[in-house]
PDB file of all heavy atoms in Angstrom:
ATOM      1  N   ARG A 613     -23.170  59.969 -68.812  1.00  0.00           N
ATOM      2  CA  ARG A 613     -22.947  60.222 -67.390  1.00  0.00           C
ATOM      3  C   ARG A 613     -23.106  58.930 -66.572  1.00  0.00           C
ATOM      4  O   ARG A 613     -22.366  58.656 -65.721  1.00  0.00           O
ATOM      5  CB  ARG A 613     -23.936  61.274 -66.948  1.00  0.00           C
ATOM      6  CG  ARG A 613     -23.703  61.894 -65.522  1.00  0.00           C
ATOM      7  CD  ARG A 613     -22.502  62.862 -65.507  1.00  0.00           C
ATOM      8  NE  ARG A 613     -22.794  63.999 -66.320  1.00  0.00           N
ATOM      9  CZ  ARG A 613     -23.101  65.181 -65.828  1.00  0.00           C
ATOM     10  NH1 ARG A 613     -23.129  65.400 -64.528  1.00  0.00           N
ATOM     11  NH2 ARG A 613     -23.371  66.224 -66.590  1.00  0.00           N
ATOM     12  N   ILE A 614     -24.212  58.159 -66.936  1.00  0.00           N
ATOM     13  CA  ILE A 614     -24.423  56.919 -66.184  1.00  0.00           C
ATOM     14  C   ILE A 614     -23.342  55.912 -66.452  1.00  0.00           C
ATOM     15  O   ILE A 614     -22.817  55.298 -65.474  1.00  0.00           O
ATOM     16  CB  ILE A 614     -25.792  56.348 -66.608  1.00  0.00           C
ATOM     17  CG1 ILE A 614     -27.001  57.191 -66.350  1.00  0.00           C
ATOM     18  CG2 ILE A 614     -25.975  54.907 -65.930  1.00  0.00           C
ATOM     19  CD1 ILE A 614     -28.253  56.834 -67.035  1.00  0.00           C
ATOM     20  N   THR A 615     -22.870  55.840 -67.668  1.00  0.00           N
ATOM     21  CA  THR A 615     -21.681  54.933 -67.924  1.00  0.00           C
ATOM     22  C   THR A 615     -20.467  55.252 -67.103  1.00  0.00           C
ATOM     23  O   THR A 615     -19.845  54.362 -66.401  1.00  0.00           O
ATOM     24  CB  THR A 615     -21.362  54.932 -69.462  1.00  0.00           C
ATOM     25  OG1 THR A 615     -22.554  54.645 -70.251  1.00  0.00           O
ATOM     26  CG2 THR A 615     -20.238  54.012 -69.827  1.00  0.00           C
ATOM     27  N   ASP A 616     -20.059  56.546 -67.109  1.00  0.00           N
ATOM     28  CA  ASP A 616     -18.898  56.947 -66.369  1.00  0.00           C
ATOM     29  C   ASP A 616     -19.163  56.786 -64.851  1.00  0.00           C
ATOM     30  O   ASP A 616     -18.220  56.262 -64.138  1.00  0.00           O
ATOM     31  CB  ASP A 616     -18.554  58.394 -66.669  1.00  0.00           C
ATOM     32  CG  ASP A 616     -18.103  58.651 -68.089  1.00  0.00           C
ATOM     33  OD1 ASP A 616     -17.834  57.614 -68.787  1.00  0.00           O
ATOM     34  OD2 ASP A 616     -18.202  59.843 -68.456  1.00  0.00           O
ATOM     35  N   ALA A 617     -20.244  56.978 -64.352  1.00  0.00           N
ATOM     36  CA  ALA A 617     -20.538  56.906 -62.952  1.00  0.00           C
ATOM     37  C   ALA A 617     -20.461  55.375 -62.616  1.00  0.00           C
ATOM     38  O   ALA A 617     -19.900  55.025 -61.483  1.00  0.00           O
ATOM     39  CB  ALA A 617     -21.905  57.447 -62.585  1.00  0.00           C
ATOM     40  N   THR A 618     -20.991  54.542 -63.480  1.00  0.00           N
ATOM     41  CA  THR A 618     -21.032  53.019 -63.225  1.00  0.00           C
ATOM     42  C   THR A 618     -19.661  52.460 -63.111  1.00  0.00           C
ATOM     43  O   THR A 618     -19.310  51.575 -62.259  1.00  0.00           O
ATOM     44  CB  THR A 618     -21.872  52.415 -64.257  1.00  0.00           C
ATOM     45  OG1 THR A 618     -23.158  52.935 -64.260  1.00  0.00           O
ATOM     46  CG2 THR A 618     -21.937  50.928 -64.043  1.00  0.00           C
ATOM     47  N   VAL A 619     -18.750  52.983 -63.984  1.00  0.00           N
ATOM     48  CA  VAL A 619     -17.253  52.443 -63.839  1.00  0.00           C
ATOM     49  C   VAL A 619     -16.727  52.828 -62.514  1.00  0.00           C
ATOM     50  O   VAL A 619     -16.128  51.928 -61.848  1.00  0.00           O
ATOM     51  CB  VAL A 619     -16.477  53.115 -65.019  1.00  0.00           C
ATOM     52  CG1 VAL A 619     -14.895  52.774 -64.816  1.00  0.00           C
ATOM     53  CG2 VAL A 619     -16.920  52.560 -66.373  1.00  0.00           C
ATOM     54  N   LEU A 620     -16.864  54.093 -62.021  1.00  0.00           N
ATOM     55  CA  LEU A 620     -16.353  54.476 -60.802  1.00  0.00           C
ATOM     56  C   LEU A 620     -16.976  53.666 -59.718  1.00  0.00           C
ATOM     57  O   LEU A 620     -16.366  53.233 -58.682  1.00  0.00           O
ATOM     58  CB  LEU A 620     -16.640  55.987 -60.426  1.00  0.00           C
ATOM     59  CG  LEU A 620     -15.976  56.951 -61.372  1.00  0.00           C
ATOM     60  CD1 LEU A 620     -16.127  58.330 -60.946  1.00  0.00           C
ATOM     61  CD2 LEU A 620     -14.386  56.707 -61.402  1.00  0.00           C
ATOM     62  N   TYR A 621     -18.273  53.494 -59.732  1.00  0.00           N
ATOM     63  CA  TYR A 621     -19.038  52.710 -58.674  1.00  0.00           C
ATOM     64  C   TYR A 621     -18.601  51.331 -58.566  1.00  0.00           C
ATOM     65  O   TYR A 621     -18.220  50.723 -57.483  1.00  0.00           O
ATOM     66  CB  TYR A 621     -20.553  52.877 -58.997  1.00  0.00           C
ATOM     67  CG  TYR A 621     -21.544  52.134 -58.063  1.00  0.00           C
ATOM     68  CD1 TYR A 621     -21.514  52.314 -56.734  1.00  0.00           C
ATOM     69  CD2 TYR A 621     -22.620  51.375 -58.572  1.00  0.00           C
ATOM     70  CE1 TYR A 621     -22.318  51.693 -55.831  1.00  0.00           C
ATOM     71  CE2 TYR A 621     -23.504  50.816 -57.687  1.00  0.00           C
ATOM     72  CZ  TYR A 621     -23.338  50.973 -56.338  1.00  0.00           C
ATOM     73  OH  TYR A 621     -24.338  50.361 -55.494  1.00  0.00           O
ATOM     74  N   LEU A 622     -18.470  50.648 -59.694  1.00  0.00           N
ATOM     75  CA  LEU A 622     -18.097  49.222 -59.701  1.00  0.00           C
ATOM     76  C   LEU A 622     -16.607  49.057 -59.262  1.00  0.00           C
ATOM     77  O   LEU A 622     -16.235  48.156 -58.535  1.00  0.00           O
ATOM     78  CB  LEU A 622     -18.245  48.591 -61.056  1.00  0.00           C
ATOM     79  CG  LEU A 622     -19.830  48.371 -61.484  1.00  0.00           C
ATOM     80  CD1 LEU A 622     -19.847  47.919 -62.964  1.00  0.00           C
ATOM     81  CD2 LEU A 622     -20.480  47.460 -60.413  1.00  0.00           C
ATOM     82  N   SER A 623     -15.865  50.057 -59.708  1.00  0.00           N
ATOM     83  CA  SER A 623     -14.380  50.030 -59.300  1.00  0.00           C
ATOM     84  C   SER A 623     -14.267  50.155 -57.754  1.00  0.00           C
ATOM     85  O   SER A 623     -13.442  49.376 -57.155  1.00  0.00           O
ATOM     86  CB  SER A 623     -13.666  51.136 -60.017  1.00  0.00           C
ATOM     87  OG  SER A 623     -12.267  51.078 -59.611  1.00  0.00           O
ATOM     88  N   GLU A 624     -15.064  50.922 -57.081  1.00  0.00           N
ATOM     89  CA  GLU A 624     -15.018  51.011 -55.636  1.00  0.00           C
ATOM     90  C   GLU A 624     -15.570  49.804 -55.031  1.00  0.00           C
ATOM     91  O   GLU A 624     -14.975  49.356 -53.980  1.00  0.00           O
ATOM     92  CB  GLU A 624     -15.815  52.262 -55.201  1.00  0.00           C
ATOM     93  CG  GLU A 624     -15.122  53.557 -55.276  1.00  0.00           C
ATOM     94  CD  GLU A 624     -13.784  53.723 -54.760  1.00  0.00           C
ATOM     95  OE1 GLU A 624     -13.487  53.424 -53.541  1.00  0.00           O
ATOM     96  OE2 GLU A 624     -12.881  54.090 -55.587  1.00  0.00           O
ATOM     97  N   GLN A 625     -16.519  49.206 -55.596  1.00  0.00           N
ATOM     98  CA  GLN A 625     -17.041  47.935 -55.017  1.00  0.00           C
ATOM     99  C   GLN A 625     -15.972  46.863 -55.066  1.00  0.00           C
ATOM    100  O   GLN A 625     -15.735  46.042 -54.134  1.00  0.00           O
ATOM    101  CB  GLN A 625     -18.246  47.402 -55.880  1.00  0.00           C
ATOM    102  CG  GLN A 625     -19.484  48.261 -55.646  1.00  0.00           C
ATOM    103  CD  GLN A 625     -20.745  47.678 -56.427  1.00  0.00           C
ATOM    104  OE1 GLN A 625     -20.781  46.403 -56.562  1.00  0.00           O
ATOM    105  NE2 GLN A 625     -21.614  48.501 -56.765  1.00  0.00           N
ATOM    106  N   ILE A 626     -15.213  46.876 -56.147  1.00  0.00           N
ATOM    107  CA  ILE A 626     -14.097  45.850 -56.326  1.00  0.00           C
ATOM    108  C   ILE A 626     -13.043  46.223 -55.377  1.00  0.00           C
ATOM    109  O   ILE A 626     -12.420  45.276 -54.694  1.00  0.00           O
ATOM    110  CB  ILE A 626     -13.556  45.807 -57.804  1.00  0.00           C
ATOM    111  CG1 ILE A 626     -14.544  45.293 -58.675  1.00  0.00           C
ATOM    112  CG2 ILE A 626     -12.309  44.996 -57.879  1.00  0.00           C
ATOM    113  CD1 ILE A 626     -14.325  45.534 -60.150  1.00  0.00           C
ATOM    114  N   LYS A 627     -12.659  47.453 -55.182  1.00  0.00           N
ATOM    115  CA  LYS A 627     -11.581  47.810 -54.173  1.00  0.00           C
ATOM    116  C   LYS A 627     -11.990  47.384 -52.741  1.00  0.00           C
ATOM    117  O   LYS A 627     -11.204  47.054 -51.919  1.00  0.00           O
ATOM    118  CB  LYS A 627     -11.296  49.282 -54.207  1.00  0.00           C
ATOM    119  CG  LYS A 627     -10.558  49.803 -55.395  1.00  0.00           C
ATOM    120  CD  LYS A 627     -10.162  51.238 -55.209  1.00  0.00           C
ATOM    121  CE  LYS A 627     -10.221  51.958 -56.477  1.00  0.00           C
ATOM    122  NZ  LYS A 627     -10.339  53.435 -56.389  1.00  0.00           N
ATOM    123  N   ALA A 628     -13.299  47.397 -52.566  1.00  0.00           N
ATOM    124  CA  ALA A 628     -13.835  47.021 -51.156  1.00  0.00           C
ATOM    125  C   ALA A 628     -13.918  45.519 -50.989  1.00  0.00           C
ATOM    126  O   ALA A 628     -14.163  45.101 -49.911  1.00  0.00           O
ATOM    127  CB  ALA A 628     -15.143  47.757 -50.943  1.00  0.00           C
ATOM    128  N   GLY A 629     -13.836  44.762 -52.037  1.00  0.00           N
ATOM    129  CA  GLY A 629     -13.855  43.280 -51.868  1.00  0.00           C
ATOM    130  C   GLY A 629     -14.765  42.497 -52.818  1.00  0.00           C
ATOM    131  O   GLY A 629     -14.745  41.353 -52.727  1.00  0.00           O
ATOM    132  N   ALA A 630     -15.414  43.159 -53.730  1.00  0.00           N
ATOM    133  CA  ALA A 630     -16.260  42.441 -54.694  1.00  0.00           C
ATOM    134  C   ALA A 630     -15.423  41.657 -55.623  1.00  0.00           C
ATOM    135  O   ALA A 630     -14.402  42.218 -56.157  1.00  0.00           O
ATOM    136  CB  ALA A 630     -17.211  43.382 -55.469  1.00  0.00           C
ATOM    137  N   GLU A 631     -15.697  40.381 -55.931  1.00  0.00           N
ATOM    138  CA  GLU A 631     -14.820  39.509 -56.614  1.00  0.00           C
ATOM    139  C   GLU A 631     -15.269  39.364 -58.089  1.00  0.00           C
ATOM    140  O   GLU A 631     -14.539  38.816 -58.921  1.00  0.00           O
ATOM    141  CB  GLU A 631     -14.783  38.137 -55.976  1.00  0.00           C
ATOM    142  CG  GLU A 631     -14.197  38.126 -54.596  1.00  0.00           C
ATOM    143  CD  GLU A 631     -14.357  36.823 -53.873  1.00  0.00           C
ATOM    144  OE1 GLU A 631     -15.586  36.496 -53.478  1.00  0.00           O
ATOM    145  OE2 GLU A 631     -13.385  36.070 -53.721  1.00  0.00           O
TER     146      GLU A 631
END
Side-chain angles (χ1 to χ4, degrees):
R613 190 74 65 102
I614 298 166
T615 302
D616 293 346
T618 302
V619 171
L620 295 185
Y621 181 45
L622 291 176
S623 180
E624 283 309 304
Q625 291 183 27
I626 293 165
K627 286 189 215 159
E631 300 169 285

